């Protein structure tokens, strides 16, 4: 755990189901006080995304064509997505990762941790057990920039959320 401004960022590894097997992911998580219900989920485009586009499942765009070709973002707040990913530094750090999953969500779902009302969670996942110190520094820099940007855009406050994961 590391303190960054008013947030407690937790770095850990997690095993997630992957069909008949399981996969290890390295995670960064931080609860934050949300303003409203800005949620998003970002990942690199893949074959499933191509199917989702054919089924006309909505995805948000940042307005940055190179970035939008590489990544899919699911959110109900298209304007919030554009504001968040308007930062060239955030886009550059995301693009530097070979594989990444990033989301702002309300809680861990029915079997995970419950968050109090008004508290959301920022989660970053990278596949595998990341031990490379430089890569971890870049992931943390990205995570911190996103927390800062969520505050700058009005989607979050930098108040202490009163929750430790």
């Amino acid at each position: 755990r590391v303190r960054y401004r008013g947030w407690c960022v937790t770095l850990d590894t997690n095993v997630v189901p992957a069909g008949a097997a399981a996969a290890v992911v390295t995670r960064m998580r931080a609860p934050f006080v949300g303003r409203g219900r800005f949620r998003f989920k970002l990942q690199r485009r893949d074959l499933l995304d191509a199917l989702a586009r054919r089924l006309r499942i909505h995805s948000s765009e940042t307005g940055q064509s190179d970035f939008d070709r590489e990544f899919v973002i699911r959110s109900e707040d298209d304007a919030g997505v554009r504001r968040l990913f308007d930062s060239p530094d955030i886009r550059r750090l995301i693009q530097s990762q070979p594989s990444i999953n990033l989301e702002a969500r309300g809680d861990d779902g029915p079997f995970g941790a419950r968050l109090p009302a008004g508290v959301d969670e920022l989660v970053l996942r990278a596949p595998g057990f990341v031990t490379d110190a430089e890569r971890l520094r870049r992931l943390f820099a990205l995570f911190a920039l996103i927390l800062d940007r969520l505050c700058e855009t009005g989607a979050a406050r930098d108040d202490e959320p009163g929750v430790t994961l």
Side-chain angles (χ1 to χ4, degrees):
R1 290 187 173 92
V2 130
R3 300 292 301 169
Y4 175 70
R5 293 178 48 170
W7 304 290
C8 179
V9 179
T10 301
L11 171 67
D12 65 9
T13 56
N14 188 32
V15 177
V16 294
V24 174
V25 296
T26 298
R27 294 187 303 187
M28 281 188 199
R29 303 182 301 154
F32 65 91
V33 177
R35 290 184 169 175
R37 294 188 41 86
F38 178 64
R39 307 279 196 275
F40 72 89
K41 189 170 192 173
L42 172 142
Q43 64 187 43
R44 283 198 177 273
R45 290 195 180 271
D46 60 15
L47 292 175
L48 290 177
D49 176 57
L51 177 62
R53 281 186 286 179
R54 288 181 188 216
L55 295 173
R56 300 189 196 288
I57 295 174
H58 176 75
S59 64
S60 298
E61 293 192 350
T62 65
Q64 306 295 323
S65 57
D66 290 344
F67 189 83
D68 290 334
R69 274 192 294 278
E70 283 184 68
F71 296 93
V72 61
I73 304 170
R74 306 261 185 248
S75 178
E76 294 181 8
D77 186 347
D78 293 341
V81 165
R82 282 189 298 278
R83 282 190 302 273
L84 178 62
F85 294 100
D86 188 44
S87 165
D89 292 332
I90 288 175
R91 292 192 314 274
R92 179 183 48 77
L93 285 167
I94 290 171
Q95 288 174 306
S96 75
Q97 295 300 316
S99 181
I100 191 169
N101 179 295
L102 181 64
E103 69 180 304
R105 63 186 185 185
D107 59 36
D108 262 342
F111 303 108
R114 290 278 183 216
L115 296 171
V119 175
D120 295 328
E121 179 183 25
L122 182 64
V123 182
L124 181 150
R125 289 182 207 84
F129 188 67
V130 178
T131 58
D132 176 54
E134 182 55 35
R135 183 167 182 213
L136 286 170
R137 275 192 282 280
R138 286 192 314 268
L139 288 170
F140 183 80
L142 168 62
F143 201 81
L145 278 172
I146 290 174
L147 285 168
D148 288 341
R149 188 77 180 141
L150 286 169
C151 291
E152 290 168 9
T153 62
R157 296 191 328 235
D158 63 357
D159 301 347
E160 168 66 46
V163 176
T164 302
L165 301 174

